[in-house]
Amino acid sequence: MSFGGLFMTGVRRTASQRRMLLAAALLLAGISGSMVLYQGLQQAEQQAQARYIENMARYMKADMLGNLQEQINALQRMSVRLAHYGFEGDSGWRVNADLYLSHYSYYEALAVLDRDLRVSRVRNRHQPLVQRDALFPVGAIPTGTLDAVNRGARLGVTQPFQLSDQRPAVTFLTPIGDGQAHFGYLAAVLVIPEAVDAMIPAMFRDEIVLRVEGRGEPLFGSAASSGDGAQPSWDASFTVDVDGDGEGFLFNFAVSDALRSQLTTGLPEVVLGSGIVVSLLLAAIALLGMNAVGQARVLTASNRRLEQEVGERQAAERELAFLVHNDALTGIPNRAGITLYLEDVIRDQGGGETQLALLFLDLDQFKDINDSLGHQLGDELLCEVPQRLKGVLKERDFVGRHGGDEFLIAVERDNRQQVEQLAGNILRSMDSGFAIGEHRLFVSASIGIAYYPESGHTVSELIQNADTALFKAKNAGRNQFAVFTREMFAQAQHRLNLSRDIRHALEREEFRVVYQPIINLRNLSLCGVEALLRWQHEKGYMVPPQEFIRVAEETGIIGRLGAFVLDQALADLAAWSKLPGKLPWLAVNVSGAQIQEHSFAEQLSVLLHQYRIDPQLLHLEITEEILIENLMRNRRMLHRLDEIGMRIVVDDFGVGYSSLSYLKNFPISVVKIDRGFIRDLSFDPEDQAITRTICSLASDLGMLTVAEGVESVDQLHLLRNYRCSFAQGFLFSRPVEADSVAAMIGEPRQWREIAEAVEAGSGLV
Ligand code: C2E
Ligand code: CA
Ligand code: CA
């Protein structure tokens, strides 16, 4: 009891003291604590707010870049498809473009422009934008953008401009094809307000006030929400630079009042206020402290989520930067990446001791592998090539992919001899073939070499000149390398001038068609004519066909030239068909580019129909080289032409040493023995053996033979002995004008004298 009483008294006394003390202490601690807490909480809250807004900005930027990248990828895929499949029937293009427009609702139009930015095809959403100026005023293309696109950048962006209904827009330009097969650009017109509106991440749509500017001009949105007419104050801003040229759209935004109050807990003020009321202090602090912890936890959690997403988006951003400089298929640098690297090397090198060289490597016959075995295997092969190169290169040598089956290799060596040795080693390293899937593929390569600084002071000069040297290596028979020289530059220049002249000459009608008779060797009568193109240059001289046809093929204008020849020759044939006498067939030379045009067979049917000509009278001469090189690809076209009834002639047969038995799987009617075997036929036993074999094998396979370049009776005599079917050459006639052919049709006994000479000589040989 006493113990208990003592206890009770003690408690009572000390408790009140303690309460006092506690109260005082709590008051003091409470006030000072709440002051400290107030400041701390306020600071933390402001930091969390700022972080939240900053993350919003980063998220939005990354999200937009990701969005745009997806669209740009889609555009680029479309460009690749267009470059690859062309515009046959137009439906492929239309389907592609319309899909794109329906998928991305804020594009106003898609268009195909040629290299001079002329519009060739358009698909619109609403207002028809058919003129180039409606797609974008030409002034809207920053200087250098087209250059950059042509140099291999994946994308060009115009400056903002106004559509006819005043909406601001920009146009994206992606190149269609590249290098020599650069057809033009795919242009996509994006309406800025609609795009921004659609691309604001849904989670932020009601939370921000947004304004977009391009070059200081407002393009979207209005002033900030601050309301009271004061200078708008933005909470954050960021720049979206689509093409990576350092210029872009400036996005300013302010968070909405609603969001701001959501982010503001009001906690610090409450803490401070409640600090004054000592009795409520502990409860309030405890309660609100718990709240604060809770609130902070919520804010931290959402911040963490946001940061995680930002992290993912930033990875996407890094990937975008990577994609700009690297090739998606092989992972090695692309043209842009190589350019960057070489610019660095050139800048650092100054008057360095070593020899810097750029090697331009191109696989021979890669297209055939792609066509016969499929793109998948083709792609795998392309991925293997850099690996193979690494085997012969040094660690610090640089390999990139220029596009297609072209690779660029930058090396520094002590001297040129070492560079050229390396080129030889690279070519040999291909010899062992590539194991791809269950196949073993054998491909050779050709290499063009440009030395810095002799073959070019800038990267693009080096690339271009290495390409010129490559062209030379290819022409010289492939599987070899060539070094760029000044003469090549002159030749390249000449080719360029010539291709310009060809265009003009077509407009000025400087071209005409002449015909060389083809003679039946059994009775020496006219049985056919070969159409040969002639060009009398405006300066008076004749340009030899070998010279301009090759350039026309390289520059793509052969299509128009070929169409001209076909039209002219068929018109002449139609005129001859009205004459009495046996109508000769018409042989027309067809280049590789022509038969690769999807609509070639249709174009021909239309012409034949228009001139009412029996398809069997049209012989299409395709050189052995082109035929063999693209046999798989040409196969379908050859069969279509055959079904229509046209005859296929293998021109210049024998130079490629391809076997006749291989050709028997294709609809070939006539084999034209190359002039090279006929020239020395009278005295070269080897040429005699080859010619005799071709004639007898062809006849076994049901094909007819033509010998071209027959100049002497001796040659004629041998050819008759070999049972060659037809002959063509100066012995009978040089190529002549259409009128002269008309005269020959009426005079079947023209070559009587030659016939007599052969008969007379037959006893001697
Ligand atoms: P090709 O198809 O082998 O044409 C035959 C060439 O041999 C013609 O040269 C012809 O004039 C020439 N020739 C004919 N008989 C003799 C002869 O007895 N002796 C000699 N030394 N030459 C003879 P041309 O007209 O200069 O044509 C050269 C090449 O240009 C043609 O070779 C052909 O590959 C190409 N070519 C000509 N016209 C066209 C055309 O319209 N389209 C295409 N794609 N190529 C054409
Ligand atoms: Ca020919
Ligand atoms: Ca020929």
Side-chain angles (χ1 to χ4, degrees):
M1 165 80 187
S2 70
F3 179 73
L6 188 79
F7 179 67
M8 289 302 287
T9 341
V11 168
R12 202 170 291 136
R13 204 176 59 228
T14 49
S16 69
Q17 282 175 339
R18 273 193 193 160
R19 266 201 307 274
M20 289 289 286
L21 263 168
L22 204 65
L26 276 178
L27 190 64
L28 247 172
I31 289 173
S32 59
S34 56
M35 283 300 287
V36 171
L37 206 59
Y38 171 73
Q39 281 171 347
L41 282 173
Q42 206 180 31
Q43 212 173 12
E45 188 175 272
Q46 277 166 1
Q47 278 171 3
Q49 267 185 16
R51 218 163 41 237
Y52 186 85
I53 291 170
E54 188 189 322
N55 280 341
M56 269 174 96
R58 278 152 72 191
Y59 180 88
M60 264 195 285
K61 175 178 177 173
D63 192 62
M64 283 188 187
L65 274 172
N67 257 322
L68 285 167
Q69 188 56 39
E70 181 197 311
Q71 292 156 32
I72 291 160
N73 284 343
L75 283 173
Q76 275 157 353
R77 279 195 301 276
M78 203 189 308
S79 298
V80 170
R81 279 196 300 273
L82 289 175
H84 200 268
Y85 299 112
F87 301 92
E88 186 183 11
D90 236 22
S91 65
W93 145 252
R94 252 184 278 137
V95 170
N96 270 309
D98 290 355
L99 257 178
Y100 193 86
L101 288 176
S102 71
H103 195 73
Y104 301 111
S105 61
Y106 36 83
Y107 281 87
E108 192 61 35
L110 282 191
V112 175
L113 310 178
D114 67 16
R115 299 208 302 191
D116 301 324
L117 299 178
R118 277 191 302 263
V119 181
S120 69
R121 281 173 178 74
V122 186
R123 301 298 291 170
N124 288 295
R125 178 182 306 284
H126 305 296
Q127 35 173 182
L129 311 175
V130 287
Q131 298 294 331
R132 207 261 341 280
D133 276 2
L135 294 166
F136 59 95
V138 86
I141 305 182
T143 5
T145 294
L146 271 191
D147 287 346
V149 174
N150 290 335
R151 259 190 282 111
R154 293 152 42 98
L155 177 77
V157 186
T158 66
Q159 301 289 5
F161 61 94
Q162 283 196 335
L163 295 173
S164 58
D165 58 6
Q166 310 299 309
R167 285 177 305 165
V170 287
T171 298
F172 293 163
L173 292 169
T174 58
I176 303 177
D178 56 15
Q180 299 205 338
H182 174 201
F183 306 115
Y185 309 93
L186 182 60
V189 181
L190 175 144
V191 184
I192 294 172
E194 293 172 13
V196 173
D197 199 43
M199 283 196 276
I200 296 176
M203 58 195 273
F204 296 141
R205 188 146 299 168
D206 298 320
E207 299 188 342
I208 56 166
V209 180
L210 184 66
R211 191 167 111 127
V212 184
E213 293 172 15
R215 310 196 113 194
E217 296 290 328
L219 300 171
F220 177 88
S222 52
S225 59
S226 69
D228 12 299
Q231 196 69 354
S233 67
W234 301 107
D235 289 310
S237 50
F238 57 87
T239 309
V240 169
D241 176 5
V242 191
D243 55 351
D245 68 346
E247 247 195 86
F249 300 103
L250 175 66
F251 284 68
N252 285 318
F253 74 89
V255 297
S256 67
D257 293 342
L259 176 63
R260 197 181 300 280
S261 68
Q262 249 178 46
L263 294 177
T264 310
T265 59
L267 178 69
E269 288 77 7
V270 175
V271 169
L272 182 65
S274 56
I276 297 158
V277 186
V278 179
S279 56
L280 292 180
L281 195 64
L282 279 175
I285 287 176
L287 192 67
L288 295 175
M290 263 154 59
N291 259 350
V293 171
Q295 278 280 12
R297 215 178 267 148
V298 171
L299 214 54
T300 315
S302 66
N303 255 333
R304 197 174 300 140
R305 234 187 2 259
L306 215 50
E307 262 164 13
Q308 189 185 341
E309 288 208 45
V310 167
E312 283 163 16
R313 289 294 166 151
Q314 279 174 334
E317 232 175 306
R318 274 195 299 279
E319 197 185 342
L320 178 65
F322 179 82
L323 281 177
V324 171
H325 291 114
N326 286 274
D327 170 48
L329 175 65
T330 57
I332 61 175
N334 58 16
R335 185 175 165 134
I338 300 162
T339 303
L340 214 64
Y341 168 83
L342 272 176
E343 275 168 355
D344 259 14
V345 174
I346 289 176
R347 208 178 13 252
D348 296 348
Q349 211 201 18
E353 296 287 283
T354 55
Q355 174 66 64
L356 174 63
L358 181 67
L359 280 65
F360 201 129
L361 178 145
D362 182 293
L363 300 180
D364 301 329
Q365 283 121 16
F366 174 71
K367 284 208 179 68
D368 280 347
I369 291 183
N370 234 359
D371 290 341
S372 50
L373 301 176
H375 288 236
Q376 178 100 34
L377 290 189
D379 282 356
E380 283 179 36
L381 174 62
L382 288 178
C383 292
E384 284 299 314
V385 171
Q387 301 306 322
R388 182 63 56 90
L389 291 176
K390 280 195 183 115
V392 269
L393 291 173
K394 290 186 183 166
E395 188 83 54
R396 59 190 168 83
D397 294 341
F398 194 87
V399 183
R401 180 168 173 224
H402 183 254
D405 58 342
E406 298 169 345
F407 294 88
L408 288 171
I409 306 158
V411 300
E412 283 176 81
R413 292 289 184 276
D414 294 337
N415 51 47
R416 293 186 175 192
Q417 201 189 345
Q418 286 181 5
V419 174
E420 282 153 42
Q421 227 161 34
L422 170 68
N425 290 343
I426 291 175
L427 294 179
R428 270 189 298 282
S429 76
M430 302 279 172
D431 287 350
S432 54
F434 293 82
I436 307 284
E438 65 245 37
H439 302 267
R440 178 139 216 106
L441 303 183
F442 289 91
V443 269
S444 57
S446 302
I447 298 178
I449 303 178
Y451 289 116
Y452 175 82
E454 295 79 355
S455 314
H457 289 274
T458 64
V459 176
S460 65
E461 265 173 26
L462 280 174
I463 296 181
Q464 190 180 341
N465 291 340
D467 190 16
T468 302
L470 170 69
F471 178 82
K472 177 83 188 230
K474 289 246 168 206
N475 266 352
R478 318 200 147 141
N479 194 14
Q480 53 189 288
F481 67 84
V483 178
F484 178 78
T485 60
R486 283 288 128 197
E487 296 83 78
M488 284 183 200
F489 180 73
Q491 282 164 11
Q493 206 64 31
H494 176 65
R495 279 206 300 275
L496 222 64
N497 291 340
L498 205 56
S499 81
R500 191 199 50 211
D501 286 1
I502 293 173
R503 265 165 235 276
H504 289 171
L506 263 170
E507 281 154 22
R508 286 198 220 99
E509 301 185 353
E510 286 172 18
F511 288 103
R512 74 205 151 80
V513 181
V514 294
Y515 301 91
Q516 186 173 36
I518 300 171
I519 278 71
N520 187 330
L521 284 183
R522 247 184 301 135
N523 53 14
L524 297 198
S525 65
L526 175 72
C527 58
V529 292
E530 178 180 5
L532 293 160
L533 194 52
R534 291 292 173 265
W535 177 15
Q536 177 134 28
H537 198 278
E538 58 166 342
K539 291 183 183 136
Y541 53 87
M542 300 293 294
V543 189
Q546 286 98 321
E547 198 176 329
F548 69 80
I549 297 260
R550 176 179 279 201
V551 174
E553 279 169 347
E554 285 154 20
T555 53
I557 196 149
I558 189 70
R560 280 173 63 195
L561 263 186
F564 165 79
V565 173
L566 276 164
D567 191 60
Q568 180 66 56
L570 287 172
D572 285 339
L573 185 61
W576 299 330
S577 71
K578 308 219 163 62
L579 302 170
K582 190 171 165 283
L583 190 60
W585 74 67
L586 172 71
V588 178
N589 292 288
V590 176
S591 78
Q594 280 176 285
I595 38 171
Q596 264 143 48
E597 229 171 83
H598 293 277
S599 56
F600 184 58
E602 282 69 44
Q603 288 169 24
L604 279 175
S605 320
V606 170
L607 273 176
L608 288 168
H609 186 75
Q610 182 189 332
Y611 288 113
R612 311 209 181 290
I613 286 171
D614 177 1
Q616 307 216 355
L617 284 176
L618 184 57
H619 289 204
L620 300 172
E621 297 197 357
I622 302 168
T623 63
E624 181 190 18
E625 197 188 354
I626 286 167
L627 196 73
I628 298 299
E629 199 173 298
N630 305 313
L631 211 45
M632 289 305 157
R633 211 160 3 134
N634 293 340
R635 191 193 176 113
R636 272 215 347 252
M637 180 57 77
L638 292 185
H639 281 287
R640 260 156 82 192
L641 296 169
D642 181 59
E643 275 159 22
I644 300 173
M646 287 171 256
R647 297 279 146 90
I648 311 292
V649 182
V650 189
D651 206 350
D652 300 347
F653 185 82
V655 262
Y657 303 103
S658 55
S659 86
L660 265 174
S661 50
Y662 185 46
L663 293 183
K664 78 166 188 263
N665 299 315
F666 300 89
I668 287 157
S669 318
V670 183
V671 172
K672 210 164 186 184
I673 306 165
D674 189 67
R675 215 158 56 230
F677 298 107
I678 309 299
R679 195 180 48 229
D680 303 335
L681 190 66
S682 327
F683 46 86
D684 185 335
E686 204 170 307
D687 284 349
Q688 290 172 357
I690 292 171
T691 308
R692 188 175 44 229
T693 311
I694 296 176
C695 288
S696 82
L697 259 177
S699 125
D700 289 349
L701 292 169
M703 301 174 190
L704 297 169
T705 38
V706 185
E708 65 178 355
V710 178
E711 295 182 355
S712 73
V713 175
D714 285 352
Q715 290 165 336
L716 178 59
H717 187 80
L718 285 167
L719 288 166
R720 276 169 63 124
N721 281 349
Y722 302 155
R723 309 218 174 289
C724 178
S725 329
F726 313 105
Q728 176 182 356
F730 295 168
L731 175 65
F732 301 100
S733 168
R734 291 189 173 254
V736 295
E737 305 288 329
D739 299 353
S740 310
V741 176
M744 286 177 193
I745 293 173
E747 172 51 295
R749 294 167 61 81
Q750 298 230 32
W751 293 292
R752 201 64 239 153
E753 274 175 35
I754 299 173
E756 278 157 14
V758 178
E759 297 306 326
S762 61
L764 298 174
V765 180

